Amino acid sequence: MPFHLEREKGFLECDRLKVSLSEQISRGSHEIKQMVSNLHRQNIDKLFLIGSGGSLAVAYPLEMLIEKYTSTYQCKSYNGEDFLCRRPQIVDSRSGVIGISYSGNTTEIIEGLKWAKKRGALTIALTAYPQAPIASDVDGLIE
């Protein structure tokens, strides 16, 4: 079933988004499968998604899907600057922090990942540009 972004009544309430993401993952996204494996292996039970602007808009449906379809993870999305201001003390070695930046140059996302890594969190960058600064000091990379 192809995924279309037209406005449909209750499209987030049905399985359409879940099916679309499942299809994308099954098309060979080795990086995502590896990331999930690493989360399980390291006993991660908290996920933090950080982004700004359009990247934050990507985080919200991911958070919704994680909350709806798994009881394994607590999940929260943050604006990058908000994450840096709050510096949530719950971020620790049982946390996975996923920084989302299309360009890979978003300063507050890069700084948020660095802070999380110092606290022992597993850090993952999601970017279109794997040579960008966001990918330089993380535990995982999704292109």
Side-chain angles (χ1 to χ4, degrees):
M1 163 172 45
F3 179 67
H4 300 284
L5 290 177
E6 71 258 2
R7 292 181 180 244
E8 292 183 33
K9 183 179 177 186
F11 103 100
L12 284 176
E13 295 174 10
C14 67
D15 286 340
R16 178 170 244 158
L17 187 55
K18 179 183 175 186
V19 168
S20 176
L21 287 174
S22 294
E23 287 175 355
Q24 297 220 4
I25 290 169
S26 69
R27 282 191 198 122
S29 181
H30 176 72
E31 295 90 358
I32 293 174
K33 292 175 185 175
Q34 185 64 42
M35 177 192 72
V36 171
S37 176
N38 288 344
L39 293 174
H40 287 299
R41 189 171 47 257
Q42 295 187 28
N43 295 316
I44 302 298
D45 59 5
K46 298 178 295 283
L47 293 175
F48 298 89
L49 308 171
I50 55 175
S52 297
S55 296
L56 181 60
V58 169
Y60 290 135
L62 292 174
E63 178 185 1
M64 186 270 307
L65 289 170
I66 290 165
E67 288 178 347
K68 185 171 182 173
Y69 295 107
T70 181
S71 61
T72 306
Y73 306 108
Q74 296 175 11
C75 186
K76 182 158 176 127
S77 297
Y78 285 91
N79 173 281
E81 192 64 40
D82 194 30
F83 185 78
L84 279 176
C85 288
R86 290 183 188 205
R87 298 187 189 263
Q89 294 303 298
I90 195 170
V91 174
D92 60 16
S93 62
R94 293 186 59 124
S95 301
V97 179
I98 302 171
I100 307 167
S101 171
Y102 178 79
S103 70
N105 296 313
T106 312
T107 305
E108 61 270 22
I109 307 304
I110 296 167
E111 293 303 314
L113 287 168
K114 286 180 184 177
W115 176 80
K117 189 173 186 88
K118 286 180 185 174
R119 295 198 44 93
L122 177 74
T123 56
I124 298 164
L126 175 59
T127 183
Y129 299 96
Q131 276 70 30
I134 195 171
S136 65
D137 192 28
V138 291
D139 301 307
L141 175 65
I142 300 172
E143 300 176 43

